[in-house]
PDB file of all heavy atoms in Angstrom:
ATOM      1  N   ARG A1490      12.811  28.438  29.649  1.00 95.00           N
ATOM      2  CA  ARG A1490      11.802  27.407  29.853  1.00 95.00           C
ATOM      3  C   ARG A1490      10.669  27.982  30.697  1.00 95.00           C
ATOM      4  O   ARG A1490      10.887  28.515  31.772  1.00 95.00           O
ATOM      5  CB  ARG A1490      12.421  26.191  30.543  1.00 95.00           C
ATOM      6  CG  ARG A1490      11.476  25.006  30.676  1.00 95.00           C
ATOM      7  CD  ARG A1490      12.207  23.749  31.132  1.00 95.00           C
ATOM      8  NE  ARG A1490      13.225  23.325  30.184  1.00 95.00           N
ATOM      9  CZ  ARG A1490      13.888  22.188  30.260  1.00 95.00           C
ATOM     10  NH1 ARG A1490      13.623  21.335  31.244  1.00 95.00           N
ATOM     11  NH2 ARG A1490      14.806  21.903  29.352  1.00 95.00           N
ATOM     12  N   ALA A1491       9.450  27.881  30.174  1.00 97.00           N
ATOM     13  CA  ALA A1491       8.311  28.534  30.785  1.00 97.00           C
ATOM     14  C   ALA A1491       7.270  27.523  31.264  1.00 97.00           C
ATOM     15  O   ALA A1491       7.034  26.506  30.618  1.00 97.00           O
ATOM     16  CB  ALA A1491       7.663  29.500  29.792  1.00 97.00           C
ATOM     17  N   PHE A1492       6.662  27.847  32.375  1.00 97.00           N
ATOM     18  CA  PHE A1492       5.623  27.010  32.936  1.00 97.00           C
ATOM     19  C   PHE A1492       4.401  27.006  32.038  1.00 97.00           C
ATOM     20  O   PHE A1492       3.985  28.053  31.515  1.00 97.00           O
ATOM     21  CB  PHE A1492       5.256  27.558  34.314  1.00 97.00           C
ATOM     22  CG  PHE A1492       4.048  26.904  34.920  1.00 97.00           C
ATOM     23  CD1 PHE A1492       4.140  25.673  35.551  1.00 97.00           C
ATOM     24  CD2 PHE A1492       2.817  27.537  34.889  1.00 97.00           C
ATOM     25  CE1 PHE A1492       3.034  25.072  36.112  1.00 97.00           C
ATOM     26  CE2 PHE A1492       1.693  26.953  35.438  1.00 97.00           C
ATOM     27  CZ  PHE A1492       1.810  25.711  36.057  1.00 97.00           C
ATOM     28  N   VAL A1493       3.810  25.843  31.871  1.00 98.00           N
ATOM     29  CA  VAL A1493       2.591  25.698  31.077  1.00 98.00           C
ATOM     30  C   VAL A1493       1.435  25.241  31.949  1.00 98.00           C
ATOM     31  O   VAL A1493       0.381  25.888  31.998  1.00 98.00           O
ATOM     32  CB  VAL A1493       2.796  24.710  29.925  1.00 98.00           C
ATOM     33  CG1 VAL A1493       1.478  24.483  29.176  1.00 98.00           C
ATOM     34  CG2 VAL A1493       3.870  25.196  28.972  1.00 98.00           C
ATOM     35  N   ALA A1494       1.616  24.133  32.641  1.00 98.00           N
ATOM     36  CA  ALA A1494       0.553  23.578  33.458  1.00 98.00           C
ATOM     37  C   ALA A1494       1.146  22.599  34.454  1.00 98.00           C
ATOM     38  O   ALA A1494       2.220  22.055  34.245  1.00 98.00           O
ATOM     39  CB  ALA A1494      -0.503  22.870  32.601  1.00 98.00           C
ATOM     40  N   ALA A1495       0.431  22.384  35.541  1.00 97.00           N
ATOM     41  CA  ALA A1495       0.852  21.419  36.548  1.00 97.00           C
ATOM     42  C   ALA A1495      -0.357  20.761  37.168  1.00 97.00           C
ATOM     43  O   ALA A1495      -1.451  21.344  37.207  1.00 97.00           O
ATOM     44  CB  ALA A1495       1.711  22.089  37.625  1.00 97.00           C
ATOM     45  N   ILE A1496      -0.162  19.566  37.634  1.00 96.00           N
ATOM     46  CA  ILE A1496      -1.178  18.865  38.389  1.00 96.00           C
ATOM     47  C   ILE A1496      -0.498  18.243  39.594  1.00 96.00           C
ATOM     48  O   ILE A1496       0.519  17.579  39.470  1.00 96.00           O
ATOM     49  CB  ILE A1496      -1.920  17.828  37.533  1.00 96.00           C
ATOM     50  CG1 ILE A1496      -3.050  17.175  38.333  1.00 96.00           C
ATOM     51  CG2 ILE A1496      -0.965  16.778  36.972  1.00 96.00           C
ATOM     52  CD1 ILE A1496      -4.030  16.379  37.466  1.00 96.00           C
ATOM     53  N   TRP A1497      -1.064  18.512  40.767  1.00 92.00           N
ATOM     54  CA  TRP A1497      -0.455  18.074  41.993  1.00 92.00           C
ATOM     55  C   TRP A1497      -0.992  16.708  42.405  1.00 92.00           C
ATOM     56  O   TRP A1497      -1.935  16.188  41.813  1.00 92.00           O
ATOM     57  CB  TRP A1497      -0.685  19.125  43.081  1.00 92.00           C
ATOM     58  CG  TRP A1497      -0.393  20.491  42.560  1.00 92.00           C
ATOM     59  CD1 TRP A1497      -1.286  21.492  42.329  1.00 92.00           C
ATOM     60  CD2 TRP A1497       0.903  21.011  42.160  1.00 92.00           C
ATOM     61  NE1 TRP A1497      -0.643  22.595  41.814  1.00 92.00           N
ATOM     62  CE2 TRP A1497       0.696  22.322  41.686  1.00 92.00           C
ATOM     63  CE3 TRP A1497       2.191  20.454  42.157  1.00 92.00           C
ATOM     64  CZ2 TRP A1497       1.742  23.096  41.218  1.00 92.00           C
ATOM     65  CZ3 TRP A1497       3.231  21.244  41.670  1.00 92.00           C
ATOM     66  CH2 TRP A1497       3.002  22.556  41.220  1.00 92.00           C
ATOM     67  N   SER A1498      -0.364  16.142  43.405  1.00 88.00           N
ATOM     68  CA  SER A1498      -0.766  14.803  43.841  1.00 88.00           C
ATOM     69  C   SER A1498      -2.212  14.754  44.294  1.00 88.00           C
ATOM     70  O   SER A1498      -2.867  13.719  44.189  1.00 88.00           O
ATOM     71  CB  SER A1498       0.155  14.303  44.959  1.00 88.00           C
ATOM     72  OG  SER A1498       0.105  15.177  46.073  1.00 88.00           O
ATOM     73  N   SER A1499      -2.711  15.892  44.748  1.00 89.00           N
ATOM     74  CA  SER A1499      -4.104  15.973  45.168  1.00 89.00           C
ATOM     75  C   SER A1499      -5.080  16.027  43.993  1.00 89.00           C
ATOM     76  O   SER A1499      -6.277  15.848  44.185  1.00 89.00           O
ATOM     77  CB  SER A1499      -4.308  17.208  46.036  1.00 89.00           C
ATOM     78  OG  SER A1499      -4.076  18.393  45.292  1.00 89.00           O
ATOM     79  N   GLY A1500      -4.549  16.286  42.799  1.00 91.00           N
ATOM     80  CA  GLY A1500      -5.389  16.446  41.624  1.00 91.00           C
ATOM     81  C   GLY A1500      -5.668  17.887  41.264  1.00 91.00           C
ATOM     82  O   GLY A1500      -6.254  18.148  40.224  1.00 91.00           O
ATOM     83  N   ILE A1501      -5.278  18.814  42.111  1.00 94.00           N
ATOM     84  CA  ILE A1501      -5.447  20.231  41.816  1.00 94.00           C
ATOM     85  C   ILE A1501      -4.575  20.621  40.633  1.00 94.00           C
ATOM     86  O   ILE A1501      -3.427  20.198  40.543  1.00 94.00           O
ATOM     87  CB  ILE A1501      -5.106  21.077  43.050  1.00 94.00           C
ATOM     88  CG1 ILE A1501      -6.076  20.788  44.191  1.00 94.00           C
ATOM     89  CG2 ILE A1501      -5.137  22.570  42.704  1.00 94.00           C
ATOM     90  CD1 ILE A1501      -5.737  21.477  45.482  1.00 94.00           C
ATOM     91  N   THR A1502      -5.112  21.435  39.749  1.00 97.00           N
ATOM     92  CA  THR A1502      -4.390  21.834  38.553  1.00 97.00           C
ATOM     93  C   THR A1502      -4.078  23.314  38.557  1.00 97.00           C
ATOM     94  O   THR A1502      -4.724  24.113  39.255  1.00 97.00           O
ATOM     95  CB  THR A1502      -5.199  21.503  37.289  1.00 97.00           C
ATOM     96  OG1 THR A1502      -6.472  22.159  37.338  1.00 97.00           O
ATOM     97  CG2 THR A1502      -5.415  19.998  37.173  1.00 97.00           C
ATOM     98  N   ASP A1503      -3.093  23.699  37.757  1.00 97.00           N
ATOM     99  CA  ASP A1503      -2.671  25.080  37.639  1.00 97.00           C
ATOM    100  C   ASP A1503      -2.246  25.306  36.202  1.00 97.00           C
ATOM    101  O   ASP A1503      -1.624  24.439  35.593  1.00 97.00           O
ATOM    102  CB  ASP A1503      -1.518  25.351  38.596  1.00 97.00           C
ATOM    103  CG  ASP A1503      -1.153  26.841  38.671  1.00 97.00           C
ATOM    104  OD1 ASP A1503      -2.017  27.682  38.379  1.00 97.00           O
ATOM    105  OD2 ASP A1503       0.003  27.134  39.049  1.00 97.00           O
ATOM    106  N   TYR A1504      -2.572  26.481  35.652  1.00 98.00           N
ATOM    107  CA  TYR A1504      -2.275  26.784  34.255  1.00 98.00           C
ATOM    108  C   TYR A1504      -1.691  28.171  34.111  1.00 98.00           C
ATOM    109  O   TYR A1504      -2.073  29.103  34.804  1.00 98.00           O
ATOM    110  CB  TYR A1504      -3.527  26.711  33.390  1.00 98.00           C
ATOM    111  CG  TYR A1504      -4.181  25.356  33.342  1.00 98.00           C
ATOM    112  CD1 TYR A1504      -5.197  25.022  34.219  1.00 98.00           C
ATOM    113  CD2 TYR A1504      -3.772  24.410  32.403  1.00 98.00           C
ATOM    114  CE1 TYR A1504      -5.799  23.774  34.169  1.00 98.00           C
ATOM    115  CE2 TYR A1504      -4.355  23.171  32.349  1.00 98.00           C
ATOM    116  CZ  TYR A1504      -5.374  22.852  33.232  1.00 98.00           C
ATOM    117  OH  TYR A1504      -5.967  21.617  33.177  1.00 98.00           O
ATOM    118  N   ALA A1505      -0.766  28.285  33.179  1.00 98.00           N
ATOM    119  CA  ALA A1505      -0.309  29.603  32.788  1.00 98.00           C
ATOM    120  C   ALA A1505      -1.438  30.359  32.108  1.00 98.00           C
ATOM    121  O   ALA A1505      -2.287  29.769  31.440  1.00 98.00           O
ATOM    122  CB  ALA A1505       0.889  29.496  31.839  1.00 98.00           C
ATOM    123  N   ASP A1506      -1.459  31.672  32.269  1.00 98.00           N
ATOM    124  CA  ASP A1506      -2.525  32.476  31.687  1.00 98.00           C
ATOM    125  C   ASP A1506      -2.610  32.308  30.177  1.00 98.00           C
ATOM    126  O   ASP A1506      -3.697  32.361  29.594  1.00 98.00           O
ATOM    127  CB  ASP A1506      -2.324  33.946  32.031  1.00 98.00           C
ATOM    128  CG  ASP A1506      -2.572  34.257  33.491  1.00 98.00           C
ATOM    129  OD1 ASP A1506      -3.222  33.434  34.169  1.00 98.00           O
ATOM    130  OD2 ASP A1506      -2.116  35.313  33.961  1.00 98.00           O
ATOM    131  N   SER A1507      -1.474  32.097  29.539  1.00 97.00           N
ATOM    132  CA  SER A1507      -1.440  32.004  28.087  1.00 97.00           C
ATOM    133  C   SER A1507      -2.136  30.765  27.537  1.00 97.00           C
ATOM    134  O   SER A1507      -2.484  30.716  26.353  1.00 97.00           O
ATOM    135  CB  SER A1507       0.005  32.051  27.596  1.00 97.00           C
ATOM    136  OG  SER A1507       0.759  30.987  28.127  1.00 97.00           O
ATOM    137  N   VAL A1508      -2.332  29.756  28.375  1.00 98.00           N
ATOM    138  CA  VAL A1508      -2.943  28.517  27.903  1.00 98.00           C
ATOM    139  C   VAL A1508      -4.251  28.190  28.598  1.00 98.00           C
ATOM    140  O   VAL A1508      -4.945  27.250  28.189  1.00 98.00           O
ATOM    141  CB  VAL A1508      -1.974  27.332  28.068  1.00 98.00           C
ATOM    142  CG1 VAL A1508      -0.647  27.621  27.392  1.00 98.00           C
ATOM    143  CG2 VAL A1508      -1.771  26.984  29.530  1.00 98.00           C
ATOM    144  N   LYS A1509      -4.608  28.955  29.599  1.00 98.00           N
ATOM    145  CA  LYS A1509      -5.824  28.692  30.343  1.00 98.00           C
ATOM    146  C   LYS A1509      -7.036  28.751  29.419  1.00 98.00           C
ATOM    147  O   LYS A1509      -7.196  29.674  28.625  1.00 98.00           O
ATOM    148  CB  LYS A1509      -5.978  29.704  31.491  1.00 98.00           C
ATOM    149  CG  LYS A1509      -7.107  29.398  32.450  1.00 98.00           C
ATOM    150  CD  LYS A1509      -7.094  30.354  33.633  1.00 98.00           C
ATOM    151  CE  LYS A1509      -5.821  30.216  34.449  1.00 98.00           C
ATOM    152  NZ  LYS A1509      -5.831  31.087  35.655  1.00 98.00           N
ATOM    153  N   GLY A1510      -7.871  27.738  29.517  1.00 98.00           N
ATOM    154  CA  GLY A1510      -9.031  27.654  28.656  1.00 98.00           C
ATOM    155  C   GLY A1510      -8.785  26.892  27.380  1.00 98.00           C
ATOM    156  O   GLY A1510      -9.752  26.526  26.693  1.00 98.00           O
ATOM    157  N   ARG A1511      -7.525  26.669  27.044  1.00 98.00           N
ATOM    158  CA  ARG A1511      -7.178  25.936  25.836  1.00 98.00           C
ATOM    159  C   ARG A1511      -6.526  24.587  26.129  1.00 98.00           C
ATOM    160  O   ARG A1511      -6.730  23.631  25.378  1.00 98.00           O
ATOM    161  CB  ARG A1511      -6.240  26.760  24.951  1.00 98.00           C
ATOM    162  CG  ARG A1511      -6.822  28.071  24.478  1.00 98.00           C
ATOM    163  CD  ARG A1511      -5.910  28.727  23.437  1.00 98.00           C
ATOM    164  NE  ARG A1511      -4.607  29.058  23.994  1.00 98.00           N
ATOM    165  CZ  ARG A1511      -3.445  28.609  23.513  1.00 98.00           C
ATOM    166  NH1 ARG A1511      -3.424  27.809  22.454  1.00 98.00           N
ATOM    167  NH2 ARG A1511      -2.292  28.979  24.061  1.00 98.00           N
ATOM    168  N   PHE A1512      -5.725  24.540  27.177  1.00 98.00           N
ATOM    169  CA  PHE A1512      -4.996  23.323  27.540  1.00 98.00           C
ATOM    170  C   PHE A1512      -5.617  22.699  28.771  1.00 98.00           C
ATOM    171  O   PHE A1512      -6.133  23.389  29.672  1.00 98.00           O
ATOM    172  CB  PHE A1512      -3.536  23.640  27.840  1.00 98.00           C
ATOM    173  CG  PHE A1512      -2.714  24.053  26.649  1.00 98.00           C
ATOM    174  CD1 PHE A1512      -3.306  24.330  25.415  1.00 98.00           C
ATOM    175  CD2 PHE A1512      -1.334  24.165  26.773  1.00 98.00           C
ATOM    176  CE1 PHE A1512      -2.539  24.718  24.331  1.00 98.00           C
ATOM    177  CE2 PHE A1512      -0.568  24.544  25.682  1.00 98.00           C
ATOM    178  CZ  PHE A1512      -1.166  24.825  24.467  1.00 98.00           C
ATOM    179  N   THR A1513      -5.541  21.381  28.844  1.00 98.00           N
ATOM    180  CA  THR A1513      -6.016  20.637  29.997  1.00 98.00           C
ATOM    181  C   THR A1513      -4.989  19.599  30.396  1.00 98.00           C
ATOM    182  O   THR A1513      -4.581  18.779  29.571  1.00 98.00           O
ATOM    183  CB  THR A1513      -7.363  19.959  29.717  1.00 98.00           C
ATOM    184  OG1 THR A1513      -8.327  20.930  29.333  1.00 98.00           O
ATOM    185  CG2 THR A1513      -7.851  19.241  30.969  1.00 98.00           C
ATOM    186  N   ILE A1514      -4.573  19.630  31.648  1.00 98.00           N
ATOM    187  CA  ILE A1514      -3.646  18.641  32.168  1.00 98.00           C
ATOM    188  C   ILE A1514      -4.402  17.616  32.993  1.00 98.00           C
ATOM    189  O   ILE A1514      -5.362  17.963  33.683  1.00 98.00           O
ATOM    190  CB  ILE A1514      -2.530  19.302  33.000  1.00 98.00           C
ATOM    191  CG1 ILE A1514      -1.442  18.286  33.368  1.00 98.00           C
ATOM    192  CG2 ILE A1514      -3.098  19.975  34.237  1.00 98.00           C
ATOM    193  CD1 ILE A1514      -0.213  18.897  34.011  1.00 98.00           C
ATOM    194  N   SER A1515      -3.990  16.373  32.901  1.00 97.00           N
ATOM    195  CA  SER A1515      -4.624  15.316  33.652  1.00 97.00           C
ATOM    196  C   SER A1515      -3.578  14.266  33.996  1.00 97.00           C
ATOM    197  O   SER A1515      -2.499  14.218  33.417  1.00 97.00           O
ATOM    198  CB  SER A1515      -5.782  14.691  32.870  1.00 97.00           C
ATOM    199  OG  SER A1515      -5.331  14.126  31.654  1.00 97.00           O
ATOM    200  N   ARG A1516      -3.896  13.437  34.985  1.00 94.00           N
ATOM    201  CA  ARG A1516      -2.996  12.350  35.351  1.00 94.00           C
ATOM    202  C   ARG A1516      -3.780  11.087  35.606  1.00 94.00           C
ATOM    203  O   ARG A1516      -4.933  11.120  36.043  1.00 94.00           O
ATOM    204  CB  ARG A1516      -2.152  12.740  36.577  1.00 94.00           C
ATOM    205  CG  ARG A1516      -2.923  12.898  37.865  1.00 94.00           C
ATOM    206  CD  ARG A1516      -2.041  13.506  38.962  1.00 94.00           C
ATOM    207  NE  ARG A1516      -0.921  12.627  39.304  1.00 94.00           N
ATOM    208  CZ  ARG A1516       0.162  13.044  39.973  1.00 94.00           C
ATOM    209  NH1 ARG A1516       0.292  14.314  40.318  1.00 94.00           N
ATOM    210  NH2 ARG A1516       1.118  12.182  40.259  1.00 94.00           N
ATOM    211  N   ASP A1517      -3.146   9.989  35.332  1.00 91.00           N
ATOM    212  CA  ASP A1517      -3.707   8.661  35.574  1.00 91.00           C
ATOM    213  C   ASP A1517      -2.725   7.929  36.463  1.00 91.00           C
ATOM    214  O   ASP A1517      -1.717   7.415  35.999  1.00 91.00           O
ATOM    215  CB  ASP A1517      -3.932   7.929  34.256  1.00 91.00           C
ATOM    216  CG  ASP A1517      -4.658   6.615  34.443  1.00 91.00           C
ATOM    217  OD1 ASP A1517      -4.671   6.070  35.564  1.00 91.00           O
ATOM    218  OD2 ASP A1517      -5.239   6.121  33.457  1.00 91.00           O
ATOM    219  N   ASN A1518      -3.008   7.899  37.747  1.00 86.00           N
ATOM    220  CA  ASN A1518      -2.086   7.291  38.690  1.00 86.00           C
ATOM    221  C   ASN A1518      -1.952   5.783  38.497  1.00 86.00           C
ATOM    222  O   ASN A1518      -0.909   5.202  38.790  1.00 86.00           O
ATOM    223  CB  ASN A1518      -2.538   7.578  40.121  1.00 86.00           C
ATOM    224  CG  ASN A1518      -2.343   9.024  40.507  1.00 86.00           C
ATOM    225  OD1 ASN A1518      -1.516   9.732  39.928  1.00 86.00           O
ATOM    226  ND2 ASN A1518      -3.099   9.485  41.496  1.00 86.00           N
ATOM    227  N   ALA A1519      -2.991   5.156  37.995  1.00 88.00           N
ATOM    228  CA  ALA A1519      -2.927   3.724  37.746  1.00 88.00           C
ATOM    229  C   ALA A1519      -1.955   3.391  36.627  1.00 88.00           C
ATOM    230  O   ALA A1519      -1.340   2.312  36.626  1.00 88.00           O
ATOM    231  CB  ALA A1519      -4.310   3.170  37.416  1.00 88.00           C
TER     232      ALA A1519
END
């Protein structure tokens, strides 16, 4: 199982190099 992307409670995002620029993670707290 490999990391793809994450979004922290602060809203900061992180992406694996293999998907950076292609994938976008977002969250809707509401």
Side-chain angles (χ1 to χ4, degrees):
R1490 186 170 298 189
F1492 172 80
V1493 175
I1496 184 166
W1497 314 111
S1498 59
S1499 64
I1501 296 175
T1502 58
D1503 188 25
Y1504 298 93
D1506 290 342
S1507 60
V1508 306
K1509 188 174 297 184
R1511 298 189 298 123
F1512 291 9
T1513 302
I1514 188 171
S1515 61
R1516 67 190 296 163
D1517 186 339
N1518 289 337

